[in-house]
Amino acid sequence: MKKLANTLYITNPKAFLTLDGETVVVKKEDKSTTRLPLHNLENIVCFNWLGTSPALMRACTERNIGLCFLNPYGHFQARVSGKVRGNVLLRKKQYKISENEVESTPIAASFLLAKIANSRKVIERALRDHALLLDVESLKKASAALKDILQVIPECKSTEELMAFEGSAAKIYFRVFDQLILHQKEAFFFKTRTRRPPLDNMNSLLSFYYVLLANDVASALEGVGLDPYVGFLHQDRPGRPSLALDLMEELRPVFADRLALTLVNRKQIKGKGFTQKESGSVLMDDDTRKKVLVAWQERKQDKIMHPYLKEKISFGLIPHVQALLLARYLRGDLDAYPPFFWH
């Protein structure tokens, strides 16, 4: 089990990271602003233009510290990896299954079952907690429609079939997502899911959290010896972490969607913290980004009873547990992969 350690987020676009002995040094305009011991870190996530020194990159790879680069908009740029680690037999099994649709489809189906069930749970929780503020009938219809899709997912024989049902489920879910935004409706509304670039404040917030989640999941997969770029549901493309995207499907509603709704509904962030650029892309300012990141880190410290392990763990460990369970299934230690169902 990977210990949940600290993540260093560099939110200032003009910051530069370098190495001084065993210490990470954050510099701005050639002045040292922050110094942190390397041994206290598990991940470094940079939202800057200037990047890091080669010496720091090497130190991170040698110490198995995740190093991820995003631009200030939150768009993924690159991840730094060192020598290939992990069980070669496990990766060979992963590659073999990914090329066999008969074997990969049940795994892909598990990811989607949990994603749709967890999306449904987000709606059900809103109905339970805020029924007086919601269009109860339309939300109940959406929940019932998602339940119907859950019934047919196990019968799918190909990933193409699965993706078709996934698309239908996403449309149903996002069609009612705007109703779950209870406050600040003028600043935070949701008409449709927009990406590359996100075209409104809510989509910008969701995309930002999805990128963070993808990075956490990719790190978890690498930690157990799996290749995050070879998946079972998403097709392989150069530079795309397909398996990380697969595994994060089941975690999106729980980690990203619900946290984004909480920040908006509790007015912990404001619409004035977002700016629309000439290209149409929406960017959050540095102060808002810090609040969003603090909320993300605090959420990862919350405790939850894991439905399969029957043990209390922190939210931040869920990607690592799911990666471990997937690896155990691929090794033949489990009869099936147990996805994460939120209760």
Side-chain angles (χ1 to χ4, degrees), residues 165-181:
F165 282 114
E166 189 277 336
S168 298
K171 286 180 181 178
I172 293 166
Y173 175 65
F174 282 127
R175 195 178 296 141
V176 297
F177 194 80
D178 185 67
Q179 293 191 45
L180 308 182
I181 304 170

Side-chain angles (χ1 to χ4, degrees), residues 97 103-112 162 232 326 329-330 337:
I97 291 178
E103 292 187 84
S104 61
T105 297
I107 306 174
S110 296
F111 297 142
L112 290 187
L162 287 173
F232 306 114
L326 179 58
Y329 166 67
L330 294 177
Y337 165 68

Side-chain angles (χ1 to χ4, degrees), residues 249-261:
E249 290 289 1
E250 62 193 70
L251 305 179
R252 281 182 196 238
V254 186
F255 272 76
D257 300 356
R258 188 163 169 83
L259 182 55
L261 289 167

Side-chain angles (χ1 to χ4, degrees), residues 249-294:
E249 290 289 1
E250 62 193 70
L251 305 179
R252 281 182 196 238
V254 186
F255 272 76
D257 300 356
R258 188 163 169 83
L259 182 55
L261 289 167
T262 297
L263 287 179
V264 172
N265 289 334
R266 292 183 180 176
K267 302 180 181 179
Q268 292 174 259
I269 57 174
K270 305 288 186 180
K272 64 182 181 181
F274 294 78
T275 303
Q276 189 165 40
K277 301 300 182 180
E278 292 182 4
S279 64
S281 178
V282 174
L283 175 67
M284 63 182 77
D285 63 26
D286 194 46
D287 183 58
T288 299
R289 191 183 297 111
K290 289 177 181 176
K291 291 178 181 177
V292 168
L293 288 168
V294 167

Side-chain angles (χ1 to χ4, degrees), residues 35-284:
R35 301 175 69 89
L36 290 169
L38 267 179
H39 68 261
N40 286 345
L41 298 173
E42 186 179 80
N43 285 288
I44 301 174
V45 182
C46 300
F47 296 88
N48 59 349
W49 298 119
L50 301 180
T52 71
S53 70
L56 178 58
M57 292 184 192
R58 178 180 176 180
C60 287
T61 61
E62 289 176 345
R63 292 161 180 78
N64 203 26
I65 298 172
L67 180 56
C68 177
F69 296 98
L70 304 93
N71 68 19
Y73 292 85
H75 296 162
F76 176 80
Q77 303 294 301
R79 298 184 78 251
V80 175
S81 299
K83 296 178 181 178
V84 175
R85 296 180 176 88
N87 188 330
V88 65
L89 298 178
L90 174 62
R91 291 202 178 202
K92 287 176 72 174
K93 184 71 175 292
Q94 176 190 355
Y95 301 150
K96 181 180 177 182
I97 291 178
S98 72
E99 297 294 326
N100 187 325
E101 191 162 56
V102 174
E103 292 187 84
S104 61
T105 297
I107 306 174
S110 296
F111 297 142
L112 290 187
L113 281 171
K115 176 187 180 179
I116 297 169
N118 292 336
S119 298
R120 186 168 177 257
K121 185 65 72 173
V122 170
I123 295 173
E124 294 291 329
R125 282 285 181 96
L127 284 169
R128 185 194 70 184
D129 298 339
H130 307 290
L132 295 177
L133 302 174
L134 300 169
D135 182 349
V136 172
E137 191 62 30
S138 66
L139 288 174
K140 283 186 174 180
K141 285 182 179 179
S143 178
L146 291 176
K147 185 178 180 180
D148 289 341
I149 293 177
L150 285 172
Q151 310 292 331
V152 299
I153 290 291
E155 307 301 322
C156 291
K157 303 299 183 185
S158 68
T159 54
E160 186 177 356
E161 281 185 76
L162 287 173
M163 291 303 287
F165 282 114
E166 189 277 336
S168 298
K171 286 180 181 178
I172 293 166
Y173 175 65
F174 282 127
R175 195 178 296 141
V176 297
F177 194 80
D178 185 67
Q179 293 191 45
L180 308 182
I181 304 170
L182 306 177
H183 301 289
Q184 306 188 84
K185 293 290 283 190
E186 288 187 7
F188 295 94
F189 52 84
F190 188 91
K191 294 180 180 177
T192 187
R193 179 78 181 110
T194 57
R195 303 173 295 170
R196 303 187 191 94
L199 300 177
D200 57 59
N201 296 348
M202 198 67 193
N203 271 291
S204 177
L205 181 58
L206 288 174
S207 292
F208 189 83
Y209 273 150
Y210 290 165
V211 170
L212 293 180
L213 179 57
N215 181 57
D216 283 357
V217 172
S219 295
L221 290 166
E222 289 179 343
V224 299
L226 289 168
D227 187 339
Y229 290 88
V230 179
F232 306 114
L233 177 65
H234 291 84
Q235 292 183 348
D236 296 340
R237 291 181 187 170
R240 180 164 83 168
S242 297
L243 186 59
L245 297 179
D246 286 355
L247 188 58
M248 72 176 278
E249 290 289 1
E250 62 193 70
L251 305 179
R252 281 182 196 238
V254 186
F255 272 76
D257 300 356
R258 188 163 169 83
L259 182 55
L261 289 167
T262 297
L263 287 179
V264 172
N265 289 334
R266 292 183 180 176
K267 302 180 181 179
Q268 292 174 259
I269 57 174
K270 305 288 186 180
K272 64 182 181 181
F274 294 78
T275 303
Q276 189 165 40
K277 301 300 182 180
E278 292 182 4
S279 64
S281 178
V282 174
L283 175 67
M284 63 182 77

